[in-house]
Amino acid sequence: MKLIYRQILLTFMCLPFIAQAQQTPAPQQTEAVTIVGATAHLGNGEIIENSLIIFEDGKLTQVMDANTKIQYRGKIIQAEGKHVYPGFIAPNSTLGIGEIDAVRPTLDEDEIGEILPNVRSLIAYNAESKVVESMRPNGVLLGQIVPRGGLVSGTSSVVQFDAWNWEDAVIREDDGLHINWPSAFRRGRPWRDEDPNLKPNDEYNKELQKLSSFFGEAKAYLSGNRDYTNLAYLAIEPVFSGEKKVFVHVNGEKEILDAVQFKKDQGVQHLVIVGGYHAVDVASALVENEIPVLVNRPHSTPAMDYEDYDYPYKLAKLLHDQEVLVGLESSGQMERMNTRNLPFYAGTVAAFGLEKEEALKMITSNTARILGIDENYGSLEKGKSATLFISEGDALDMRTNIISHAWIDGRAISLETHQTELWKRYSNKYKDEDKE
């Protein structure tokens, strides 16, 4: 009986979130748009101080200096003194597959089992998520939706953040397989009377053997007669052909080197390190094997007592200086809500030594390259998707990231969210009180 009451309670707790749906997604672009006079940050390291940007049918047709004589088309937006950016991209996110941490029925990011390559995050993606909606006012318009848990979590997909459903949202379907690399060391568990200090993990080699055996079995199955259907093995096939990347979530120096060796041993064509806290110590191996790194959020504290206080802030720069291809991700505590801070993570990286346009690339063109969507997204270039926004000021600074217009594939999207509605409501309340 208690279980029934609990289920009823959770259902009613979820009702407000179900009833308040996301705004209607924007319709297809029907009129050309011309943006004149803004400082255009192209996302590839270049800036056009006085820019002219034209797009129609969802594609950029002109990106040039405004002094060039060319006929304007369609709706004209005078944006002198403002800034234009490509839409920011959030990799390694659970947006849309989790809503409220305290309400279990709203979480769909993890499945039961250890090795689940055939689990697809895309079909669980909720395009009407209130949290997804709140990304857009900060310029975060695209994301890689990633499952969690187990040794092999499953397969991610890349989506845009203004859609009716997952079918409309998808940009790149089943882009990558995600592996949670085991740790070579672990801390003792005091509740079991173990020494709390770090010590070698006795299960480490066993876990690696389990992973290698699975890949070996998948190869044997795929090269055989396939007398029966094995969905897990079939999900690995695109990894060997290079169509699907392998994202290895790993931080330790030894573990990263083991992941690099795993890439070689298993014939994995494209591997990406996610997290990479100690990747700077093995940067040469990453560069040699053309392995990029999605660095965990800079807004965190050092993991070790002996590390510089600002090590998380400058890690992306340290890797960049050694010619590693770097993107920024935001997993961790309250990761879905904190993803809206993605531009400010790039701003912090810039504040700690990296040139600002290089920091911008870590949430635009670099991330697009890593996710395999750079042909259409990640930079403002002729022929690419018109996924961009206009900001009143520097979009990497929370004081001036004030967005007036945003487009996804040329569609003028709404910037209203539950948060903006509350802000307007209560700001008016206090204005009325001041008049009294």
Side-chain angles (χ1 to χ4, degrees), residues 40-47 85 350 354-362 364-365 396:
H41 304 261
L42 304 190
N44 58 7
E46 299 178 19
I47 298 177
Y85 295 84
L354 192 63
E355 199 276 325
K356 183 161 282 188
E357 295 307 309
E358 288 296 325
L360 175 64
K361 287 168 66 175
M362 293 181 180
T364 54
S365 60
L396 305 191

Side-chain angles (χ1 to χ4, degrees), residues 109-405:
E109 61 190 43
D110 190 2
E111 297 291 339
I112 297 173
E114 281 295 299
I115 299 180
L116 301 166
N118 51 306
V119 166
R120 302 172 66 231
S121 64
L122 180 61
I123 60 172
Y125 177 71
N126 175 21
E128 293 195 346
S129 163
K130 285 292 182 182
V131 185
V132 169
E133 182 182 88
S134 71
M135 301 297 116
R136 303 193 304 246
N138 276 5
V140 182
L141 306 182
L142 308 172
Q144 180 196 39
I145 311 306
V146 178
R148 296 282 190 250
L151 186 59
V152 179
S153 302
T155 297
S156 60
S157 291
V158 182
V159 301
Q160 52 87 0
F161 292 154
D162 183 64
W164 287 101
N165 47 48
W166 66 261
E167 292 95 339
D168 294 338
V170 65
I171 287 173
R172 187 173 181 203
E173 188 170 347
D174 299 338
D175 73 298
L177 180 74
H178 291 260
I179 297 175
N180 297 303
W181 202 264
S183 177
F185 298 89
R186 68 173 182 85
R187 293 190 180 277
R189 295 160 290 190
W191 59 91
R192 293 190 177 181
D193 295 325
E194 296 175 354
D195 184 349
N197 293 316
L198 279 175
K199 61 180 181 180
N201 179 9
D202 297 333
E203 301 295 316
Y204 180 68
N205 290 329
K206 188 183 296 184
E207 290 292 296
L208 292 192
Q209 183 57 47
K210 183 189 300 183
L211 189 60
S212 297
S213 295
F214 173 74
F215 270 72
E217 291 165 5
K219 284 180 184 177
Y221 172 84
L222 295 170
S223 62
N225 295 325
R226 307 191 191 187
D227 294 332
Y228 63 98
T229 299
N230 187 305
L231 296 178
Y233 294 156
L234 290 172
I236 296 290
E237 190 169 20
V239 169
F240 299 127
S241 66
E243 299 171 37
K244 184 186 290 187
K245 298 187 178 185
V246 174
F247 292 80
V248 177
H249 299 243
V250 60
N251 287 301
E253 180 180 347
K254 170 180 168 50
E255 292 90 333
I256 292 173
L257 289 176
D258 286 345
V260 173
Q261 189 60 47
F262 177 82
K263 174 184 184 294
K264 297 176 181 177
D265 294 342
Q266 300 298 334
V268 173
Q269 294 190 35
H270 304 293
L271 188 140
V272 178
I273 298 298
V274 182
Y277 190 80
H278 292 291
V280 70
D281 299 320
V282 293
S284 58
L286 299 177
V287 173
E288 180 183 344
N289 291 277
E290 300 181 332
I291 298 174
V293 178
L294 291 172
V295 175
N296 192 221
R297 68 171 76 162
H299 292 184
S300 56
T301 54
M304 302 294 179
D305 293 342
Y306 58 80
E307 291 172 340
D308 294 344
Y309 80 94
D310 57 356
Y311 178 74
Y313 305 155
K314 62 187 181 183
L315 174 57
K317 179 186 184 301
L318 294 174
L319 287 168
H320 170 78
D321 290 347
Q322 297 196 54
E323 301 183 349
V324 176
L325 178 62
V326 178
L328 299 179
E329 57 104 3
S330 57
S331 63
Q333 189 175 23
M334 291 188 70
E335 65 182 62
R336 289 181 290 279
M337 296 72 176
N338 278 313
T339 300
R340 67 173 69 97
N341 292 324
L342 185 67
F344 312 136
Y345 298 156
T348 296
V349 169
F352 281 80
L354 192 63
E355 199 276 325
K356 183 161 282 188
E357 295 307 309
E358 288 296 325
L360 175 64
K361 287 168 66 175
M362 293 181 180
I363 57 174
T364 54
S365 60
N366 281 11
T367 301
R369 282 179 60 192
I370 292 170
L371 301 185
I373 60 171
D374 53 309
E375 183 177 346
N376 288 308
Y377 299 92
S379 59
L380 301 178
E381 298 177 64
K382 185 176 179 179
K384 289 194 173 184
S385 168
T387 298
L388 67 160
F389 64 87
I390 301 175
S391 175
E392 298 291 331
D394 182 355
L396 305 191
D397 187 333
M398 66 178 66
R399 297 167 298 180
T400 54
N401 179 309
I402 303 170
I403 297 177
S404 58
H405 302 76

Side-chain angles (χ1 to χ4, degrees), residues 59-99:
K59 295 289 184 180
L60 294 164
T61 57
Q62 300 293 341
V63 180
M64 59 176 64
D65 192 290
N67 294 319
T68 305
K69 290 185 178 180
I70 188 171
Q71 184 176 358
Y72 297 171
R73 292 182 55 78
K75 180 181 179 181
I76 299 171
I77 300 175
Q78 298 293 341
E80 291 81 0
K82 299 182 180 182
H83 297 255
V84 176
Y85 295 84
F88 299 150
I89 307 168
N92 187 36
S93 170
T94 55
L95 286 166
I97 54 174
E99 195 74 2

